[in-house]
Amino acid sequence: MNMENGACSGQSAVEAIGVHDFSEKLLEQVVHFHVMKLTGGFFLWVGASPVLSNLAVSMNSKFDSMPLSTLVLGDSSDTTPNSLAQRLTKKTKKQVFVSYNLPVTDSNLTLLVENRIRKEMELHPDKF
Amino acid sequence: MAHQPFIKTRQTEKTVNGISTQVVCTEFSNYIFIVLTQYGKIGTLVSVTPDARCSDISTPMFTTKVLLGKDEALTHVYAKNIATFVSQEAGNRPVLLGLALKDCSAENMKTLKDMIKSCQVW
């Protein structure tokens, strides 16, 4: 085991939690995004009104190339938060919490939302 | 006027018993989301919900549920102790609490609650 100054190197340093907000008009409605950067992951909320109706969490598994994901809050028949969290973990290799609070009937909107998130990740990689 | 973010959030950092401790409080219309962490992570996620039928008793009852992480008795005690006042002050809104503490001693409880109080978003 690798030890440095008596501290176990496996223990990651605790970073300051950073908060990042942005919004975008998508399909005639303003969609708000709220990101909380955590150590080894991030929390992402998406919505048009300030409600927290679901929460999914996703992380990588060494047994599967596809990240694992589960819904910890909300209606499990709605798979959007789960799949979004899963795809963001796939991209970032991080633990991702996602709360998706938009109508899920419109799959075009879901796609636009995900593209907007990806764009923000490219613009501000340090915020995620 | 400065631009107000859509989601109201406040945070603070303090060294408690030699350990760097962070609090982030976020307001949603149906939840107050609190991250109380000494690891920089959400850790154990607990919901603290006031019971609907308590109008006849002076002290409301709360239901705690571990949504993610180890479901230990102490987690429920801790979550209830920390989040009850927030829920009451926030008009009986449920609290979603992310708890990741290295030091869970009862002596620190007041300091941690004061940190949460200083991040009032409700």
Side-chain angles (χ1 to χ4, degrees):
Chain A
M1 205 165 171
N2 219 340
M3 303 284 272
E4 256 182 49
N5 302 329
C8 179
S9 62
Q11 198 173 353
S12 60
V14 176
E15 298 167 46
I17 296 172
V19 171
H20 179 57
D21 292 281
F22 57 100
S23 51
E24 181 82 53
K25 195 165 187 178
L26 302 168
L27 298 180
E28 298 303 308
Q29 64 172 324
V30 180
V31 177
H32 299 271
F33 302 82
H34 177 78
V35 187
M36 202 188 294
K37 186 196 167 108
L38 306 154
T39 302
F42 62 89
F43 167 93
L44 168 71
W45 176 94
V46 183
S49 68
V51 61
L52 186 83
S53 49
N54 55 55
L55 187 62
V57 59
S58 171
M59 58 199 284
N60 261 327
S61 154
K62 59 178 172 181
F63 303 110
D64 200 337
S65 61
M66 205 53 203
L68 302 170
S69 116
T70 188
L71 196 79
V72 293
L73 190 78
D75 180 3
S76 56
S77 68
D78 174 12
T79 56
T80 315
N82 256 329
S83 58
L84 184 56
Q86 208 167 22
R87 284 198 296 275
L88 292 176
T89 291
K90 182 99 182 153
K91 181 176 163 61
T92 60
K93 313 267 184 290
K94 289 177 178 176
Q95 184 190 43
V96 180
F97 290 85
V98 166
S99 177
Y100 187 87
N101 307 275
L102 292 168
V104 288
T105 42
D106 196 340
S107 57
N108 283 333
L109 181 62
T110 314
L111 197 68
L112 290 170
V113 163
E114 190 174 335
N115 287 340
R116 183 62 184 86
I117 296 163
R118 286 174 184 270
K119 185 181 148 200
E120 193 73 10
M121 284 176 158
E122 280 169 26
L123 290 169
H124 303 282
D126 55 309
K127 303 285 189 191
F128 291 85
Chain B
M1 213 178 99
H3 176 70
Q4 286 284 315
F6 188 68
I7 297 295
K8 194 173 170 188
T9 175
R10 286 180 75 182
Q11 67 183 102
T12 188
E13 197 270 333
K14 192 180 176 170
T15 303
V16 181
N17 251 354
I19 307 164
S20 163
T21 310
Q22 297 185 76
V23 168
V24 184
C25 292
T26 312
E27 187 192 31
F28 296 100
S29 57
N30 59 338
Y31 271 103
I32 302 293
F33 179 37
I34 303 172
V35 177
L36 173 56
T37 182
Q38 294 176 330
Y39 289 92
K41 305 179 180 207
I42 286 178
T44 306
L45 199 62
V46 193
S47 73
V48 183
T49 316
D51 292 339
R53 284 153 56 72
C54 60
S55 53
D56 50 336
I57 328 165
S58 55
T59 45
M61 304 283 278
F62 287 86
T63 302
T64 46
K65 200 174 155 194
V66 174
L67 304 176
L68 187 70
K70 208 171 170 187
D71 196 341
E72 288 178 315
L74 191 65
T75 307
H76 292 265
V77 175
Y78 226 81
K80 230 174 258 192
N81 208 312
I82 282 177
T84 295
F85 87 93
V86 176
S87 174
Q88 285 172 343
E89 287 184 15
N92 289 324
R93 248 180 287 181
V95 174
L96 191 63
L97 179 68
L99 211 50
L101 297 177
K102 295 176 185 177
D103 180 2
C104 287
S105 60
E107 295 80 63
N108 288 341
M109 198 84 95
K110 197 188 171 302
T111 315
L112 300 178
K113 279 160 92 168
D114 284 342
M115 283 180 77
I116 294 171
K117 254 180 216 155
S118 76
C119 295
Q120 189 170 340
V121 288
W122 50 91

